[in-house]
Amino acid sequence: MIQILLLILKIVGILLLILLGLVLFVLLTVLFVPVRYRAEGSRHGEWRAKGRVSWLFRAVSLQFSFENGSLTADVRLFGRRVGASSGEDSIEEDFQEISEPPLHTASLDRGETDGKEETDFPAGTEGTGKEKTAEIPASGAETEENVKTSSSGAAEEETPKELDAGAAAQKEEIHPDAGAAPGKTSKEPERPGQEENQTRPRPSGRETSKGRPGRKNLMKRLASIPQSFRKTFRRLRARLRDLLKKKERVLAFLKDEENRRTFRLIKAQLGRLIRHVSPRHIEGNLTFGFDDPYRTGQVLSAAALLYPVYRDRIRLVPVFDREVLEGEICVAGRLRAAVFAGAAVRLMMDRNFRKLLRQLMDR
């Protein structure tokens, strides 16, 4: 029984060691196998560029190209494009050829259908169609005549009543009330003072108000100017005080010895990362120039400051009599995750850096 337990423990230990070895192998592969990049670009009338980023001996790669203003990119895993199976493009092209008919057959089919539409209709159908369209306004005319006759009949029925009302009105005009002068028609009594109200101009607000309101507003504004100046002066003084306090805090923060040591550590790690990321291989030729020779000289003097970076690997040819930008360049380098991980570990080992990081995160 003990031997069986020992055998099981032995097998379990072997499996754990294998699993631990696999994890360690993957971790070391991720940390120390570099990510390589390579890019090429040229300009001779048009911009062209292509590049590749690969890892683990091109087992995983990203390829991109830029040409004629269009950018294309694809991810490849062990040489095969991710997201596209073999023969997918050919299948799509065959499907398009089957689904979309050729142009000449489509035009012939349209011509045949047009001819059928013209010949299928008999000669008599056009006349019938016209007759039907002619019958419609006729019926409309009949309906209009019926409406007119009905309205005229109603008008004839109403005319005797209107005549009786007109006769009564004439009698009232001929025989006015007592006290009214003969020959004058009765009118509504005019209200006294109506014409006066209509002709009398309304008094304006300026005349009714005592004094001029514009002058009062102007006096109020003039009185509020000193108060506004006092408010702005107080705000500026408060801001200056805050700035002076912040300045004192910043100077005290920078003069602290621990902070200065942390800054030196950060600067050293950033410099190491920049040197590691910078390309290992640079090669190219570049011809440049401007219409103004002075600008060409300025660019050339700025490029001279970066001479330790490219040295003799890039050949610069300045042109002072015309505007031109042509040439080609090739850049290649590598990145290792272990360098970034080492810089992060060195920074996190510093206690003052951790304290500053917590303060920054709390804000």
Side-chain angles (χ1 to χ4, degrees):
M1 188 68 182
I2 297 173
Q3 293 179 357
I4 296 171
L5 290 175
L6 292 173
L7 181 61
I8 293 170
L9 291 174
K10 182 179 179 181
I11 294 169
V12 172
I14 292 169
L15 293 175
L16 289 175
L17 287 173
I18 292 170
L19 183 61
L20 183 61
L22 289 174
V23 172
L24 186 61
F25 174 74
V26 172
L27 183 62
L28 293 175
T29 302
V30 171
L31 288 176
F32 292 100
V33 173
V35 177
R36 301 182 182 276
Y37 64 90
R38 183 181 179 85
E40 298 177 0
S42 63
R43 187 180 189 276
H44 295 283
E46 294 181 357
W47 288 97
R48 292 183 180 179
K50 63 179 181 178
R52 181 180 64 250
V53 180
S54 61
W55 178 71
L56 196 61
F57 306 104
R58 298 187 186 179
V60 181
S61 63
L62 170 65
Q63 297 180 4
F64 63 90
S65 63
F66 178 80
E67 189 174 358
N68 297 328
S70 62
L71 178 65
T72 58
D74 59 345
V75 180
R76 295 182 180 273
L77 184 62
F78 295 102
R80 298 185 63 181
R81 190 171 62 181
V82 176
S85 59
S86 61
E88 184 179 356
D89 298 335
S90 61
I91 292 170
E92 291 179 356
E93 291 176 358
D94 295 338
F95 180 74
Q96 290 179 359
E97 290 178 359
I98 293 168
S99 60
E100 295 179 0
L103 294 174
H104 64 278
T105 57
S107 61
L108 290 173
D109 293 339
R110 289 177 182 173
E112 291 176 359
T113 53
D114 295 338
K116 287 181 181 179
E117 289 176 358
E118 292 177 358
T119 56
D120 285 344
F121 293 103
T125 54
E126 295 179 357
T128 57
K130 292 179 180 178
E131 289 175 358
K132 289 180 180 179
T133 53
E135 288 176 3
I136 293 168
S139 61
E142 290 179 357
T143 53
E144 290 178 356
E145 289 179 358
N146 294 329
V147 171
K148 288 180 180 179
T149 53
S150 61
S151 61
S152 62
E156 288 177 357
E157 291 178 357
E158 291 177 357
T159 47
K161 295 179 181 180
E162 292 176 356
L163 291 172
D164 294 338
Q170 288 178 1
K171 287 179 181 179
E172 289 179 358
E173 290 177 359
I174 293 168
H175 300 286
D177 296 335
K184 292 184 179 179
T185 60
S186 62
K187 297 181 180 179
E188 293 180 0
E190 296 180 355
R191 296 179 183 178
Q194 186 175 4
E195 294 180 357
E196 294 178 359
N197 292 331
Q198 292 177 356
T199 57
R200 186 182 297 173
R202 295 181 181 180
S204 61
R206 292 182 180 178
E207 293 178 357
T208 55
S209 62
K210 296 179 181 180
R212 294 183 180 179
R215 186 175 295 176
K216 291 182 179 180
N217 294 332
L218 182 61
M219 294 298 292
K220 288 179 180 180
R221 291 176 183 176
L222 291 174
S224 63
I225 287 173
Q227 189 176 2
S228 63
F229 273 117
R230 290 172 186 172
K231 289 181 179 179
T232 53
F233 180 73
R234 289 173 183 174
R235 290 175 184 173
L236 290 173
R237 187 171 61 182
R239 288 180 181 178
L240 288 173
R241 288 177 181 175
D242 294 337
L243 290 174
L244 290 174
K245 290 179 180 179
K246 289 181 180 179
K247 181 182 176 181
E248 292 175 357
R249 292 175 184 174
V250 170
L251 290 174
F253 178 77
L254 295 175
K255 289 180 180 179
D256 190 3
E257 188 62 29
E258 292 185 358
N259 294 333
R260 294 177 69 178
R261 184 171 55 83
T262 303
F263 292 151
R264 286 195 296 268
L265 178 63
I266 293 172
K267 182 180 177 181
Q269 298 304 318
L270 286 176
R272 182 177 295 178
L273 291 178
I274 291 171
R275 287 193 300 271
H276 178 70
V277 172
S278 60
R280 301 280 177 168
H281 175 75
I282 302 175
E283 185 178 358
N285 298 318
L286 184 62
T287 303
F288 68 95
F290 297 93
D291 293 335
D292 188 3
Y294 178 72
R295 294 181 63 186
T296 305
Q298 284 183 333
V299 173
L300 190 61
S301 61
L305 298 175
L306 300 174
Y307 182 76
V309 177
Y310 61 88
R311 295 183 183 177
D312 297 332
R313 293 176 288 184
I314 296 178
R315 184 169 173 267
L316 297 177
V317 180
V319 178
F320 294 93
D321 57 350
R322 68 181 186 277
E323 184 177 358
V324 62
L325 179 60
E326 292 180 352
E328 56 276 344
I329 189 170
C330 179
V331 178
R334 69 177 188 275
L335 307 173
R336 283 194 176 93
V339 178
F340 294 90
V345 169
R346 291 188 187 94
L347 291 173
M348 294 304 295
M349 290 293 289
D350 188 10
R351 184 177 60 184
N352 192 30
F353 179 79
R354 293 197 302 271
K355 183 179 72 174
L356 296 175
L357 187 62
R358 281 195 223 98
Q359 292 177 0
L360 184 63
M361 295 297 292
D362 292 337
R363 291 181 182 178

